[in-house]
C-alpha cells in the first residue's frame, strides 16, 4: 500500500513534510506521514500500517518521491517490489526523514508479503488512519476533535487509530451487519429503498462534518454585549448578558456540526435540518439532542452586529432575541450565528415553529425529561416571538409578501399552507410538551389558540381537495404545494393527533401524488414543488418548478403515516430512479438539493436528502412513541374543562384583533 504525504490544495508541494517509520503493538507496523498544512492551519498525520503474523511479513519504505530528484523514486520502489516483494527491514531504524523540499511530492510504502500454497488462502489487511486533533475556523477559534477524548491530542495517535482498526475491524463489520441486516432482509421493503436508505447516509461524513470535544465556554469572548431577556412562560429562563451561555456538554457527546451543503457553506442550517434530522435522531440521538440544545441557547441570544441583506439591500440585526437562527454560523460557529444573509431570517415564519416541532419530536422519541426541562424556556420564547406575525389577531400567522421561509425564492403572502400548517403543529406540540412538564395553563392557552387558528387556516385555504399555496390573489396562490402538510408530517411522526380530518389529509396527499408526482415524467423523478390545478408546473420561480429530493422523501413519509404505502414508495422511488439508478442522472453519493424536470441539478452534496430516514422513522418508530398511551385528540391536547368551554365559545365568535395568549 502506498500513500502520498498530501491533502491536495495549497500545501501539496509546499515542503516541510516528514515521513517516519514506526513499530507498534500486536505486530502492527507502518509509516507515519506528518503533513504541514498551509496558512497556519492545524497539521495532519497519516498512518499506513499492516499487521505481521506467522504468515505475513511487514516491511516499509518510509519515503520515496514522484520525481527523479528524490533519493528513491517511485520507479525504483516498484522495481524492489518486483524483485523481492519486500523492503529492507533496516528501514524501520531510519527515524524521521528530512523535511521535504518545495515542489516535491513525498510518499511512503508498506509491504505485507506472504507465501500462499496452491489452492490456499491468506488475508492481508492494511489500515489507513489520520490524526488531525485540532479544528481551526476562519476567524481563529480552535477546538479539539471529539476522538481526542479517547486517543489524546498528539498527532502520533494515528498509530493507535490504525492499531484499533486492524485489531477490531472484524467486530466493526459484524456490528454494521447487525444494524443493517434486519432492514436488508425485510421483504416488505423494496430493494431500491434499502439501497438508498443506507447510501444517503454518506452525507453525515461527507457533508463537511466537524465533531469537537472542547468545552466551548472557554472560547467565548470575555466581554459579551448581550442584553438580558426573560420569557413570559412559567419557567426560569437563563439571563443573558452577565455571562456567556451555558455550554456544558449535557449529552456527553461533544458538539456536532455539518454543512447545509458543500456549495452552501453554513453549519447546521436549521430549516433544512428539520428534514435531515431524522437520520441523527434514529442513529445518533444524543448528537441530535446536542444540536437542539445549541439552538435552544441561540434562541435566547442576540447579536447586534449590523448586516446587509442581499435580497433588498436593507440593513438589520444579525441575531434577534427570540428568533431561531437560520444556522450556527460559518467562520466562527456557535458564536457568530446566521451566516445566511440573503433575507432577514428573523422575519421568517418557519424557523420558530420548526424549532418547537423538532424539540417536541426529540423529547417524545427519547423520553428525556432533562432535555425537555432544559430547552423549555427557549420553546416558550420562540412561541412568544412568532406571535408578532399574527397581524390581525385571529391566532394564525401571516407571511409578509417575500420568500420568508425555506423556499427562499418563492414569494408567499398572507396565510400560507406551508407556514400555517407548521404553526398549527407547533401550537399542538407546545401544548403537549407543556403538559408533560407540568405547565397545564400554558397547554390550555396553546390549544385555545390552536382551535382558532385551525378554523382560520381551513376557512382561508381549503378548496375541497387540497390547501391553496397561500391566501393571496396571485396566479400561484392556488398552486398545489408538495410540502403543504409539513406540519402534519411532524405531528404524526411525534405521536400527536392529526391537525385535520383524516379525509382531508388523504385527499390532499392523493392530489399531490396525482399532480406533483405522477404528472411529472410519470412519477420517475420525484415530486415537483409547485403544480397548478390545471396540471402545469408552477413556473413562478426557480424553486416552484424544482423537484427537491428531501421534500420528496418527507412527502413519502407523510403518505406512509396515513396508510398510503403504494403512493409513498412510488413517490420516493422517483429520487432513486433519477439520482441513484444507472438510468438516472448520475448523482450517487452527491445527491443534490434539487433538480429540474430535465435533470439539471442545484447544489450537489446537500443535507436535506437525509430525510429518507423520516420514512424509516415511520416504519420503525422509537419505542417511546410506540409505547405512548393512545388517547383522543382532546385528551392528548390536555385541555381542561373550563378551557374547553372557552375554546368552543371562542371558535364560534372569532373576531378581529382578539387576543390569543
Amino acid at each position: 500500500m502506498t500513500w502520498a504525504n498530501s491533502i491536495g490544495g495549497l500545501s501539496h508541494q509546499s515542503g516541510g513534510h516528514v515521513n517516519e517509520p514506526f513499530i507498534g503493538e500486536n505486530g502492527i507496523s507502518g509509516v507515519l506521514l506528518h503533513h504541514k498544512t498551509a496558512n497556519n492551519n492545524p497539521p495532519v498525520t497519516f498512518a499506513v500500517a499492516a499487521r505481521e503474523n506467522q504468515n505475513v511479513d511487514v516491511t516499509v519504505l518510509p519515503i520515496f518521491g514522484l520525481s527523479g530528484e528524490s533519493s528513491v523514486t517511485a520507479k525504483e520502489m516498484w522495481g524492489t517490489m518486483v524483485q523481492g516483494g519486500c523492503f529492507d527491514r533496516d528501514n524501520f531504524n531510519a527515524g524521521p526523514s528530512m523535511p521535504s523540499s518545495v515542489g516535491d511530492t513525498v510518499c511512503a510504502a508498506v509491504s505485507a508479503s506472504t507465501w500462499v500454497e496452491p489452492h490456499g488462502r491468506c488475508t492481508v489487511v492494511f489500515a489507513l488512519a489520520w490524526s488531525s486533533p485540532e479544528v481551526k475556523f476562519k476567524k481563529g477559534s480552535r477546538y479539539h476533535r471529539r476522538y481526542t477524548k479517547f486517543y489524546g491530542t498528539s498527532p502520533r495517535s494515528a498509530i493507535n487509530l490504525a492499531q484499533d482498526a486492524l485489531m477490531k475491524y472484524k467486530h466493526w463489520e459484524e456490528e454494521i451487519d447487525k444494524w443493517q441486516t434486519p432492514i436488508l432482509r425485510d421483504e416488505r421493503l423494496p430493494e431500491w429503498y434499502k439501497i438508498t436508505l443506507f447510501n444517503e447516509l454518506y452525507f453525515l461524513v461527507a457533508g463537511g462534518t466537524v465533531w469537537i470535544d472542547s468545552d466551548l465556554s472557554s472560547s467565548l469572548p470575555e466581554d459579551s454585549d448581550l442584553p438580558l431577556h426573560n420569557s413570559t412562560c412559567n419557567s426560569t429562563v437563563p439571563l443573558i448578558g452577565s455571562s456567556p451561555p451555558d455550554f456544558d456538554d449535557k449529552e456527553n457527546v461533544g458538539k456536532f456540526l455539518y454543512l447545509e451543503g458543500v456549495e452552501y457553506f453554513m453549519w447546521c442550517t436549521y430549516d433544512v435540518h428539520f428534514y435531515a434530522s431524522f437520520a441523527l435522531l434514529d442513529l445518533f440521538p444524543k448528537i441530535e439532542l446536542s444540536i437542539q440544545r445549541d439552538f435552544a441557547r441561540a434562541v435566547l441570544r442576540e447579536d447586534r452586529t449590523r448586516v446587509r441583506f442581499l435580497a433588498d439591500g436593507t440593513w438589520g440585526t444579525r441575531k434577534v432575541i427570540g428568533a431561531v437562527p437560520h444556522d450556527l454560523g460559518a467562520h466562527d460557529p456557535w458564536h457568530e450565528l446566521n451566516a445566511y444573509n440573503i433575507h432577514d431570517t428573523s422575519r421568517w415564519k418557519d424557523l420558530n415553529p420548526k424549532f418547537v416541532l423538532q424539540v417536541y419530536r426529540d423529547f417524545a422519541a427519547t423520553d428525556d425529561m432533562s432535555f425537555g426541562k432544559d430547552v423549555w424556556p427557549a420553546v416558550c420564547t420562540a412561541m412568544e416571538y412568532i406571535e408578532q406575525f399574527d397581524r390581525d389577531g385571529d391566532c394564525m400567522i401571516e407571511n409578509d409578501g417575500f420568500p420568508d421561509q425555506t423556499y427562499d425564492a418563492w414569494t408567499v403572502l398572507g396565510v400560507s399552507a406551508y407556514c400555517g400548517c407548521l404553526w398549527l403543529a407547533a401550537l399542538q406540540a407546545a401544548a403537549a410538551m407543556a403538559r408533560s412538564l407540568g405547565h397545564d395553563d400554558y397547554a390550555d392557552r396553546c390549544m385555545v389558540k390552536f382551535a382558532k387558528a385551525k378554523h382560520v387556516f381551513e376557512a382561508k385555504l381549503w378548496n375541497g381537495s387540497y390547501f391553496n399555496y397561500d391566501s393571496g390573489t396571485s396566479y400561484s396562490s392556488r398552486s398545489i404545494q408538495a410540502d403543504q402538510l409539513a406540519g402534519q408530517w411532524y405531528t404524526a411522526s411525534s405521536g400527536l393527533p392529526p391537525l385535520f380530518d383524516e379525509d382531508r389529509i388523504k385527499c390532499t396527499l392523493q392530489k399531490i401524488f396525482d399532480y406533483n408526482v405522477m404528472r411529472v415524467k410519470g412519477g420517475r423523478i420525484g415530486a415537483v414543488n409547485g403544480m397548478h390545478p390545471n396540471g402545469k408546473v408552477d413556473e413562478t420561480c426557480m424553486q416552484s418548478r424544482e423537484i427537491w429530493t428531501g421534500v420528496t422523501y418527507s412527502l413519502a413519509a407523510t403518505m406512509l403515516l396515513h396508510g398510503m404505502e403504494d403512493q409513498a414508495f412510488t413517490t420516493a422511488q422517483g429520487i432513486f430512479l433519477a439520482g441513484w439508478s444507472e438510468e438516472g442522472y448520475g448523482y450517487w453519493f452527491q445527491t443534490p438539493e434539487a433538480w429540474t424536470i430535465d435533470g439539471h441539478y442545484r447544489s450537489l452534496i446537500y443535507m436535506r436528502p437525509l430525510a429518507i430516514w423520516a420514512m424509516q422513522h415511520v416504519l420503525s418508530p422509537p419505542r417511546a412513541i410506540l409505547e405512548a398511551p393512545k388517547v383522543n385528540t382532546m385528551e392528548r391536547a390536555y385541555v381542561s374543562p373550563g378551557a374547553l368551554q372557552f375554546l368552543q365559545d371562542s371558535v364560534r365568535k372569532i373576531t378581529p384583533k382578539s387576543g390569543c395568549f
Side-chain angles (χ1 to χ4, degrees):
M1 181 176 182
T2 61
W3 197 255
N5 192 330
S6 175
I7 60 171
L10 297 176
S11 63
H12 176 56
Q13 294 181 323
S14 59
H17 312 314
V18 174
N19 291 0
E20 175 187 4
F22 72 86
I23 297 177
E25 300 175 353
N26 300 306
I28 293 168
S29 56
V31 181
L32 290 175
L33 298 87
H34 305 288
H35 187 80
K36 182 181 179 181
T37 58
N39 299 326
N40 197 34
N41 284 319
V44 182
T45 294
F46 296 98
V48 181
R51 187 183 182 195
E52 191 167 81
N53 55 41
Q54 61 182 2
N55 297 318
V56 177
D57 294 320
V58 177
T59 54
V60 300
L61 181 62
I63 186 167
F64 68 91
L66 298 183
S67 66
E69 300 175 3
S70 304
S71 56
V72 178
T73 66
K75 182 177 180 180
E76 292 168 338
M77 181 274 294
W78 284 115
T80 301
M81 292 304 299
V82 169
Q83 291 177 8
C86 63
F87 302 113
D88 191 336
R89 293 198 65 87
D90 287 342
N91 288 344
F92 282 113
N93 302 320
S97 67
M98 292 294 292
S100 64
S101 301
V102 175
D104 283 352
T105 300
V106 293
C107 309
V110 176
S111 167
S113 56
T114 183
W115 287 99
V116 183
E117 298 292 335
H119 308 291
R121 297 170 63 92
C122 182
T123 300
V124 176
V125 183
F126 292 93
L128 169 68
W130 55 96
S131 175
S132 182
E134 192 176 272
V135 180
K136 176 190 172 186
F137 291 100
K138 188 172 183 178
K139 292 198 172 181
S141 295
R142 294 174 178 261
Y143 308 100
H144 284 127
R145 296 185 190 270
R146 176 63 176 174
Y147 79 88
T148 63
K149 180 179 178 68
F150 310 98
Y151 288 91
T153 59
S154 169
R156 299 183 66 83
S157 64
I159 296 175
N160 303 100
L161 291 163
Q163 287 183 162
D164 274 1
L166 289 167
M167 298 298 294
K168 300 177 180 179
Y169 77 92
K170 289 184 178 180
H171 172 69
W172 294 347
E173 290 177 346
E174 290 170 358
E175 291 300 306
I176 292 171
D177 287 342
K178 287 180 184 178
W179 160 49
Q180 294 185 341
T181 297
I183 295 174
L184 296 176
R185 291 183 178 175
D186 190 337
E187 296 181 355
R188 301 172 302 164
L189 304 177
E191 286 302 307
W192 66 261
Y193 171 79
K194 302 171 186 178
I195 294 168
T196 316
L197 179 72
F198 289 117
N199 284 346
E200 290 287 15
L201 290 175
Y202 84 93
F203 189 82
L204 287 181
V205 290
T209 304
V210 172
W211 190 5
I212 67 166
D213 185 61
S214 299
D215 181 2
L216 295 182
S217 60
S218 62
S219 299
L220 284 173
E222 294 181 3
D223 183 16
S224 182
D225 183 24
L226 301 177
L228 300 176
H229 178 68
N230 271 306
S231 172
T232 57
C233 70
N234 296 324
S235 296
T236 301
V237 181
L239 295 179
I240 299 188
S242 56
S243 61
D246 175 17
F247 278 96
D248 288 344
D249 185 9
K250 295 283 184 71
E251 309 301 338
N252 191 29
V253 291
K255 297 291 178 183
F256 187 87
L257 298 171
Y258 67 144
L259 292 173
E260 177 180 336
V262 297
E263 298 177 38
Y264 296 163
F265 195 92
M266 293 162 282
W267 299 110
C268 296
T269 298
Y270 201 69
D271 55 306
V272 184
H273 183 68
F274 177 75
Y275 297 83
S277 57
F278 282 88
L280 285 173
L281 176 62
D282 283 11
L283 302 174
F284 304 100
K286 288 187 177 294
I287 289 178
E288 166 62 11
L289 295 186
S290 174
I291 292 174
Q292 298 301 345
R293 288 181 185 275
D294 287 340
F295 276 92
R297 282 185 286 266
V299 168
L300 304 176
R301 292 184 57 194
E302 181 176 57
D303 182 346
R304 294 173 181 168
T305 305
R306 302 292 288 174
V307 295
R308 190 172 188 177
F309 302 114
L310 301 179
D312 57 10
T314 60
W315 290 81
T317 302
R318 177 180 288 277
K319 171 64 179 69
V320 177
I321 286 178
V324 174
H326 173 274
D327 54 77
L328 291 179
H331 302 312
D332 195 10
W334 299 291
H335 304 153
E336 187 179 84
L337 307 173
N338 282 336
Y340 179 93
N341 65 344
I342 297 177
H343 300 289
D344 180 358
T345 59
S346 69
R347 296 176 57 202
W348 277 19
K349 311 307 183 294
D350 63 336
L351 288 169
N352 283 42
K354 285 176 175 177
F355 171 71
V356 176
L357 289 171
Q358 288 183 70
V359 162
Y360 180 74
R361 177 205 58 188
D362 296 351
F363 175 66
T366 62
D367 202 23
D368 189 329
M369 191 61 65
S370 174
F371 167 76
K373 291 178 180 178
D374 288 346
V375 300
W376 176 244
V379 170
C380 292
T381 303
M383 292 294 288
E384 177 185 341
Y385 180 88
I386 200 70
E387 170 80 6
Q388 67 182 293
F389 300 116
D390 173 15
R391 310 292 190 187
D392 54 9
D394 62 0
C395 298
M396 171 52 66
I397 62 173
E398 290 89 29
N399 293 83
D400 284 332
F402 74 101
D404 49 358
Q405 24 75 42
T406 194
Y407 298 89
D408 59 353
W410 197 357
T411 296
V412 58
L413 177 65
V415 178
S416 72
Y418 184 67
C419 294
C421 189
L422 290 172
W423 173 236
L424 289 175
L427 284 167
Q428 185 170 242
M433 191 169 184
R435 176 60 66 173
S436 296
L437 298 174
H439 304 299
D440 294 0
D441 290 345
Y442 189 89
D444 289 346
R445 293 199 300 274
C446 282
M447 290 313 297
V448 168
K449 185 179 180 76
F450 170 81
K452 291 183 178 182
K454 176 182 175 181
H455 176 83
V456 173
F457 183 85
E458 293 189 303
K460 290 192 174 184
L461 298 181
W462 179 250
N463 62 24
S465 58
Y466 64 95
F467 295 98
N468 289 337
Y469 176 69
D470 65 25
S471 60
T473 57
S474 70
Y475 181 56
S476 65
S477 291
R478 283 184 55 83
S479 285
I480 308 163
Q481 185 180 11
D483 212 4
Q484 63 184 274
L485 290 179
Q488 174 56 31
W489 164 41
Y490 255 72
T491 293
S493 296
S494 304
L496 291 172
L499 301 177
F500 315 108
D501 291 343
E502 186 69 15
D503 288 346
R504 287 193 173 183
I505 295 172
K506 286 189 173 182
C507 180
T508 299
L509 291 172
Q510 189 63 48
K511 188 77 171 184
I512 296 169
F513 179 75
D514 291 341
Y515 279 71
N516 301 59
V517 178
M518 297 307 296
R519 293 201 181 194
V520 180
K521 302 287 187 180
R524 297 181 62 83
I525 61 172
V528 69
N529 284 335
M531 176 71 79
H532 290 300
N534 63 4
K536 294 184 178 180
V537 172
D538 187 337
E539 298 279 353
T540 301
C541 66
M542 170 186 71
Q543 292 173 342
S544 64
R545 59 178 174 263
E546 286 180 332
I547 290 92
W548 282 14
T549 52
V551 168
T552 299
Y553 287 142
S554 68
L555 171 62
T558 312
M559 292 172 172
L560 285 176
L561 285 161
H562 294 279
M564 301 171 66
E565 288 84 0
D566 291 344
Q567 295 93 326
F569 284 115
T570 299
T571 297
Q573 187 180 19
I575 304 303
F576 166 78
L577 292 173
W580 288 92
S581 73
E582 293 184 6
E583 295 77 27
Y585 301 128
Y587 296 143
W588 43 81
F589 298 106
Q590 52 182 344
T591 312
E593 155 77 316
W595 50 63
T596 57
I597 292 175
D598 55 4
H600 294 151
Y601 71 85
R602 180 170 61 83
S603 187
L604 289 173
I605 311 179
Y606 197 77
M607 179 195 294
R608 206 183 316 249
L610 284 170
I612 192 173
W613 280 85
M615 298 178 67
Q616 192 60 27
H617 187 86
V618 180
L619 297 168
S620 300
R623 180 177 299 176
I625 290 179
L626 279 176
E627 296 178 353
K630 302 300 180 184
V631 292
N632 66 43
T633 302
M634 282 304 177
E635 289 173 331
R636 194 54 173 266
Y638 313 115
V639 182
S640 63
L644 176 58
Q645 183 60 51
F646 175 68
L647 182 156
Q648 294 168 339
D649 294 341
S650 299
V651 172
R652 296 191 193 102
K653 302 181 296 183
I654 292 178
T655 58
K657 306 299 182 184
S658 60
C660 295
F661 269 119

